[in-house]
Every structure is written in structure tokens, then in C-alpha cells.
Amino acid sequence: MLMIILNPKANAALTEEQQAEVGAAHGRLIEATQTAGEFVTMQPLAEPAQTTVVRVRDGETVASDGPLVEAEEFFGGYYVFDVASKDRAIELAALIPDAQWSAVEVRPFLELPE
């Protein structure tokens, strides 16, 4: 899983042309990985202001608005690829245009016992 960590200030500083290129670069990545049989899914996420945090304490469910932790950067979306190695995942992470001003975290799924 490649998790895109966004910095809203950096995103806001992009020109319309740069924003269009970001969208095009995501499209090229999706197309290339679909062709290679590596693409599984991707999903952008809403901004943290739309987050609800749920906790259960002593049998009571408590829901609160906003992110769990206030931070300058936030988890903005993800890709799931089926790749042969961590090195390939890192190659793909470097192709995500947001990595140029924010960060992309590469995290494997745990193998669950059957």
C-alpha cells in the first residue's frame, strides 16, 4: 500500500497548470500499472475536517469531529499495488507526483494466518 501524506499548504501553492499535471501524472501511473497487472485500487480521502473519530469506553460509544491528531500533514489517499518486491513499491511511490512536495509511505499488508 502506498499512502499519500499531503501537505495542504504545499498543495495550495500549486498553479492550475501544476495541478493539471498532477492529475495527468496520476492517470499515467494508473494506466501503466494496470497494463503491468500491478494496479489493485486507489482512493483519495476527504480532508481531516470531515473526519469522525470513534472510541468505545466502558461500553459507551463516543464520536467526535475532526482528526485524531492535529497535524500539518495528513493521510490524503492511497494506492494498492500487487508487486513482486519492496524495491518495485518504492519505484512506484516515486512516480506519485505528490512525493515531490509531500511524502508517500510504503507499507506492506500483514500476512494473516488462514
Side-chain angles (χ1 to χ4, degrees), residues 29 31 41 85 112:
L29 175 62
E31 184 177 337
T41 191
S85 68
L112 296 176

Side-chain angles (χ1 to χ4, degrees), residues 1-92:
M1 173 182 250
L2 306 183
M3 302 184 310
I4 302 168
I5 311 302
L6 294 178
N7 182 320
K9 290 178 186 175
N11 285 359
L14 297 176
T15 65
E16 285 185 28
E17 183 178 281
Q18 289 170 318
Q19 291 174 3
E21 177 51 32
V22 166
H26 279 282
R28 290 189 299 272
L29 175 62
I30 291 167
E31 184 177 337
T33 55
Q34 285 175 329
T35 300
E38 297 171 317
F39 182 84
V40 176
T41 191
M42 67 84 61
Q43 188 66 51
L45 298 174
E47 293 192 12
Q50 298 181 44
T51 299
T52 301
V53 176
V54 177
R55 293 178 177 89
V56 178
R57 301 293 184 268
D58 298 322
E60 295 291 322
T61 301
V62 179
S64 60
D65 292 337
L68 183 63
V69 176
E70 292 290 330
E72 188 172 306
E73 297 180 325
F74 61 89
F75 180 35
Y78 62 90
Y79 281 90
V80 176
F81 295 112
D82 184 6
V83 295
S85 68
K86 182 178 179 179
D87 288 340
R88 177 61 177 152
I90 292 169
E91 287 176 22
L92 293 174

